[in-house]
């Protein structure tokens, strides 16, 4: 095995693979990155118990010049550290013995031990199945806006990740922990005939967010119990969560008694003042009282003190009386997912969930269950 | 007690005091910040077992308007969090009960519990004694350049901090852990008649670095077993380390067999390549071989691999043969303290300390003991 490649490009690719490696793995080979060099291309593969990644580069792209095919299993962490300390634009990698490679630039030369690639598991990457094509940045935004409602450690396994589903030409991303629901809709370019339903584990969602770029398209491919995300020459494949995701449509209230329209930034600042940090860094219970032309926000934290503020910069539709208690963090996290100038908070009464939305962007809804006043 | 003050300014001052508080202290009162308001000024005081800080503001400066004098002991951490979440330019603070204050802006009002100031220790801040006046940024730089050789956990207590001493009109800052020495000289505006010798504990040095500003002067005041650093209206007072600091002048070699002149940035990059990270993140032994017109840098790390590079971009004075082993981290840390373009590395032989200096800045010297080749 012998090839040349652009150093900065190689750092990026190894970094993608290195990020998912579980260095606490009991099998030392799983802490390696498999490098497969054929006459046409080089592929890097890494895996952990939940997901796998494969990223490829064709010969003559990104400075790649393949002189001799072969396979090696490198220690990604050290490789990255070393590559970052080198100066050269192009580096040479060559296998000198079964378990030894040289990594060299113009003047410096590293001789590095490698792992045994024969012990590496064979990973099947699925590129065919039910396909949904999406704008990368739109999907990235949707994941960031909905992951807030997911509790990674939820005892109900199916809730410990995000749900992807398609209804005709609408792609839904939904997250819930039982106390709140985040839902985002993305309109597809064409309706999908097949059923598409996948539950992506929390950590997988965060990895997908990292590999999604700001522009271009990505493909989601569903097959068996796997979802593959294809972006250019990179495939990220995740094992899905098992179970039936609850039908959250049924919890979405539609008839409201009061709707307040506020400038989101101001409201976020107001609620963050009420969210007084406590000794144990717990979230605060915030009391929102709508009374005529004022909203009073009150909170109280044992040992630290209390807060009160009168807020008048809002418009109201419907009933001008509400008295409702919230978890301050849930409210803050929901508000912060909106990039719109104004938002709407819809109330029924003190015991029914509130819905946060914005007429400037109908694709996103956040639902929060109120707390009991005691 | 009742006063108004500029919110951003108050955040800065509370932050200075909050930083040194030991929140693990068994005495809850020591986790507070003492606020003393007189007719003329407001002072904030905090302390831990090793150092204390007092920062004052005169009435009518920084938005301060004193309406009523008094004393309170506030929980700095919460105070900071709350102040940061407020919008107001000017805030009002007023004591309403023995253990309760209100903190208010135009619309929002916080009612906060405070601690009992009668239980707070009386701290004597020493502003008189043997005085040295220095440029703040020059002292800051000197501390950063010398602290690298200090081991906070050195069993020899006097070595667990930096030594300040004055000889005629030269102010010396010296640090050593027994394996290396860092020494910086600052020329005073006038010779000092009195003896000045102080050993500042590691953590105290880091606090001094933080409070020193980029411009202006600072005063160091030595009295009894305390050093006070005075910067504008802030006094930072530290308990000194006891013991006799070793006379490092005796270890400074003066006659060298070989001196190499190199561009510092290039040499730092070279040595950082040799400093291959190991599984336990230990430092590497680097072998420097000077042979005619080349320097060979070699290193070797168990399990990971080895490194070799030939380096020719240097000038030499003296003997063109040396073969010497170093701790890579010690060498790297020393090199990085130089802000000059070129540096000089002076050798005697494989067993004698090397001295790193620069003819562009004669105020700084770094000494490193070589390692044995086995």
């Amino acid at each position: 095995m012998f090839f040349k490649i652009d150093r900065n490009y190689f750092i990026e690719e190894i970094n993608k693979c290195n990020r998912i490696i579980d260095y606490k793995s009991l099998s030392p080979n799983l802490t390696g990155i498999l490098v497969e060099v054929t006459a046409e291309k080089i592929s890097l593969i890494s895996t952990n118990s939940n997901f796998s990644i494969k990223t490829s580069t064709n010969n003559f792209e990104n400075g790649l010049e393949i002189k001799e095919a072969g396979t090696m299993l490198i220690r990604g962490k050290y490789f990255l550290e070393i590559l970052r300390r080198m100066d050269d634009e192009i580096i040479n990698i060559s296998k000198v013995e079964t378990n030894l490679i040289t990594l060299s630039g113009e003047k410096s030369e590293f001789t590095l031990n490698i792992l045994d690639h024969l012990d590496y598991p064979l990973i099947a990457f699925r590129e065919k199945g039910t396909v949904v094509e999406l704008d990368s940045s739109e999907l990235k935004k949707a994941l960031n806006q909905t992951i807030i409602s997911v509790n990674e450690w939820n005892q109900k396994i199916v809730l410990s990740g995000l749900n992807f589903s398609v209804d005709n030409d609408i792609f839904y991303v939904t997250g819930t922990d039982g106390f709140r629901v985040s839902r985002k809709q993305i309109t597809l370019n064409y309706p999908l005939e097949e059923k598409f339903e996948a539950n992506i584990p929390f950590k997988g969602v965060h990895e997908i967010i990292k590999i999604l770029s700001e522009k271009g398209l990505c493909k989601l491919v569903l097959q068996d119990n796997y979802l593959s995300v294809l972006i250019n020459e990179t495939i990220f494949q995740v094992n899905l969560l098992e179970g039936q995701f609850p039908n959250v449509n049924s919890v979405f209230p539609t008839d409201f008694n009061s709707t307040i329209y506020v400038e989101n930034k101001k409201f976020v600042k107001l609620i963050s003042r009420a969210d007084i940090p406590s000794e144990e860094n717990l979230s605060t219970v915030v009391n929102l009282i709508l009374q005529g032309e004022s909203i009073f926000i009150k909170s109280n934290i044992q040992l630290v003190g209390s807060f009160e503020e009168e807020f008048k910069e809002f418009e109201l539709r419907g009933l001008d009386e509400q008295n409702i208690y919230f978890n301050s963090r849930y409210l803050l996290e929901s508000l912060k997912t909106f990039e719109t100038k104004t938002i709407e908070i819809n109330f029924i009464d003190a015991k029914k969930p509130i819905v946060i939305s914005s007429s400037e962007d109908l694709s996103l809804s956040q639902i929060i269950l109120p707390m009991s006043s005691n």
Side-chain angles (χ1 to χ4, degrees), chain A:
Chain A
M1 193 194 61
F2 179 26
F3 64 94
K4 291 167 182 279
I5 196 162
D6 180 274
R7 184 175 59 94
N8 284 322
Y9 174 78
F10 207 46
I11 287 176
E12 240 175 75
E13 299 301 290
I14 292 185
N15 196 28
K16 277 185 201 166
C17 293
N18 188 51
R19 226 162 36 204
I20 70 161
I21 290 175
D22 174 11
Y23 280 98
K24 291 179 190 137
S25 170
L26 293 175
S27 161
N29 287 302
L30 289 182
T31 66
I33 295 173
L34 191 71
V35 181
E36 287 179 337
V37 182
T38 65
E40 295 82 31
K41 64 176 182 177
I42 176 171
S43 300
L44 305 183
I45 293 170
S46 71
T47 190
N48 63 38
S49 48
N50 299 304
F51 32 90
S52 306
I53 190 166
K54 177 177 176 177
T55 172
S56 306
T57 311
N58 293 319
N59 205 357
F60 309 119
E61 286 173 11
N62 300 301
L64 180 63
E65 269 184 60
I66 296 168
K67 310 264 184 175
E68 193 189 317
T71 306
M72 63 175 179
L73 186 59
I74 60 171
R75 299 166 191 263
K77 203 162 55 174
Y78 298 118
F79 228 81
L80 263 184
E81 278 295 332
I82 290 169
L83 286 174
R84 286 191 179 124
R85 287 159 200 233
M86 292 178 83
D87 273 335
D88 309 83
E89 194 188 334
I90 297 290
I91 50 155
N92 309 289
I93 292 174
S94 144
K95 202 188 239 182
V96 285
E97 281 177 42
T98 325
N99 60 349
L100 223 54
I101 59 160
T102 63
L103 163 59
S104 61
E106 217 180 309
K107 288 174 207 150
S108 46
E109 180 168 300
F110 292 87
T111 307
L112 302 171
N113 301 318
I114 51 174
L115 300 160
D116 186 356
H117 69 86
L118 296 175
D119 289 344
Y120 202 76
L122 189 68
I123 301 163
F125 285 89
R126 288 154 186 85
E127 301 184 43
K128 285 181 182 153
T130 312
V131 178
V132 169
E133 201 171 53
L134 293 164
D135 179 79
S136 288
S137 71
E138 213 174 343
L139 178 60
K140 189 171 189 160
K141 191 167 146 184
L143 301 181
N144 279 316
Q145 287 172 323
T146 49
I147 193 74
I148 59 153
S149 288
V150 178
N151 171 5
E152 184 180 0
W153 314 110
N154 203 313
Q155 292 207 307
K156 205 170 162 194
I157 296 300
V158 74
L159 295 188
S160 67
L162 280 178
N163 176 261
F164 289 179
S165 68
V166 176
D167 183 9
N168 200 27
D169 66 342
I170 307 286
F171 179 79
Y172 288 98
V173 183
T174 313
T176 181
D177 58 4
F179 304 103
R180 47 188 172 159
V181 182
S182 298
R183 191 177 65 177
K184 175 82 173 185
Q185 304 176 22
I186 300 176
T187 306
L188 301 174
N189 288 330
Y190 43 83
L192 192 74
E193 308 273 313
E194 302 106 308
K195 183 175 152 60
F196 192 103
E197 177 100 20
N199 299 307
I200 324 298
F202 186 87
K203 282 210 175 74
V205 173
H206 277 291
E207 276 313 314
I208 297 173
I209 289 172
K210 280 184 203 151
I211 60 168
L212 284 170
S213 46
E214 292 306 328
K215 50 190 181 185
L217 296 173
C218 67
K219 266 189 201 169
L220 304 183
V221 179
L222 187 64
Q223 200 207 55
D224 305 330
N225 202 31
Y226 295 94
L227 180 87
S228 300
V229 183
L230 277 69
I231 307 152
N232 300 324
E233 300 298 319
T234 302
I235 306 175
F236 177 80
Q237 179 170 286
V238 53
N239 299 12
L240 299 178
L241 295 172
E242 290 189 21
Q244 179 64 42
F245 199 79
N247 177 12
V248 296
N249 286 326
S250 62
V251 305
F252 268 72
T254 44
D255 292 324
F256 301 102
N257 293 327
S258 315
T259 299
I260 58 176
Y261 300 80
V262 287
E263 202 174 300
N264 194 22
K265 276 191 188 157
K266 282 190 185 164
F267 205 67
V268 164
K269 284 201 128 188
L270 171 66
I271 301 301
S272 74
R273 282 195 285 278
D275 178 40
I276 307 175
S278 69
E279 196 75 57
E280 296 83 15
N281 208 24
L282 298 170
S283 54
T284 309
V285 178
V286 167
N287 182 203
L288 183 153
I289 301 166
L290 169 62
Q291 210 169 69
E293 290 178 353
S294 293
I295 291 173
F296 295 93
I297 298 287
K298 294 181 182 180
S299 66
N300 209 317
I301 295 169
Q302 233 184 335
L303 292 173
V304 178
S306 61
F307 164 80
E308 185 170 340
E309 184 164 341
E310 185 178 358
F311 185 78
K312 284 173 171 287
E313 301 168 74
F314 65 97
E315 284 181 35
L316 173 70
R317 199 174 55 198
L319 199 65
D320 66 353
E321 238 174 286
Q322 291 285 350
N323 187 340
I324 191 162
Y325 291 83
F326 296 104
N327 176 312
S328 61
R329 298 286 156 86
Y330 290 180
L331 190 55
L332 270 178
E333 285 174 1
S334 299
L335 293 170
K336 286 177 180 169
T337 61
F338 286 89
E339 294 173 356
T340 58
K341 189 159 184 278
T342 61
I343 51 146
E344 298 149 33
I345 310 179
N346 301 284
F347 303 85
I348 300 170
D349 61 36
K351 290 182 175 167
K352 299 276 164 42
I354 60 159
V355 178
I356 307 173
S357 59
S358 172
S359 54
E360 295 168 52
D361 174 10
L362 298 170
S363 71
L364 179 65
S365 310
Q366 301 283 1
I367 301 188
I368 304 174
L369 273 178
M371 298 175 78
S372 119
S373 57
N374 309 309

